[in-house]
Amino acid sequence: MRLAVAFDHRGVHLREAVLESLAGHQVIDLGTDTDAVRIDYPDKAREVGEALTAGDAERGILVCGSGVGASVAASKLAGIRAATCHDTYSAHQGVEHDDMNVLCIGSEVIGAEMAAELVRTFLGAKFDGGERYVRRLEKIEELENA
């Protein structure tokens, strides 16, 4: 799978664990790799979103301090369905039922092992494609276009 991955200056603390869990996938690393310079999560959300909408990546992963800011910013972009997940149920169910294409996690909320487990769960999940899920996604598209 082709993945776009980005970290802000707080999210970088989970960088190694996240990247290690992506072995076997094509990774577009959108940085950052240091906490020495403040990096705003909306900028990283835009970069990940653009990689997805351009077709360069199939899914994205964003890491900031809480995961919340990254998911709010990414979800403002048309076609991006981002959510903060700090448990495995949400990480797979978000893909299976909601066709979530960007996983957001918080480096100040979870540790490296849980981050890696969430990434593996997110990447292993597939959209169910059932009629009720498709109908709901169509409603979300209507909201984006309103």
Side-chain angles (χ1 to χ4, degrees):
M1 187 179 302
R2 293 182 329 273
L3 305 165
V5 183
F7 309 83
D8 74 359
H9 62 282
R10 288 177 62 202
V12 74
H13 302 290
L14 287 178
R15 178 181 170 80
E16 185 177 320
V18 169
L19 292 177
E20 285 178 5
S21 67
L22 300 176
H25 297 280
Q26 289 179 282
V27 177
I28 301 168
D29 184 350
L30 299 169
T32 189
D33 60 2
T34 179
D35 63 1
V37 177
R38 289 190 185 274
I39 304 293
D40 292 335
Y41 59 82
D43 298 331
K44 292 299 165 186
R46 179 183 302 277
E47 292 173 16
V48 168
E50 288 173 349
L52 270 68
T53 57
D56 297 332
E58 299 164 73
R59 292 191 193 171
I61 299 169
L62 284 166
V63 188
C64 68
S66 69
V68 175
S71 81
V72 168
S75 291
K76 296 294 183 184
L77 302 167
I80 301 303
R81 293 169 303 281
T84 303
C85 298
H86 292 134
D87 63 271
T88 57
Y89 177 79
S90 299
H92 72 78
Q93 191 269 348
V95 175
E96 293 164 356
H97 293 190
D98 306 309
D99 202 19
M100 176 176 69
N101 55 11
V102 177
L103 172 67
C104 301
I105 55 180
S107 66
E108 304 296 325
V109 181
I110 61 169
E113 288 184 38
M114 178 55 85
E117 186 174 344
L118 290 169
V119 168
R120 288 189 298 270
T121 300
F122 169 65
L123 297 179
K126 302 210 181 318
F127 179 56
D128 178 277
E131 182 273 328
R132 66 182 174 168
Y133 304 125
V134 171
R135 183 182 70 247
R136 292 170 184 163
L137 288 176
E138 289 169 351
K139 289 181 179 187
I140 291 170
E141 287 177 16
E142 289 174 15
L143 290 172
E144 286 178 342
N145 297 322

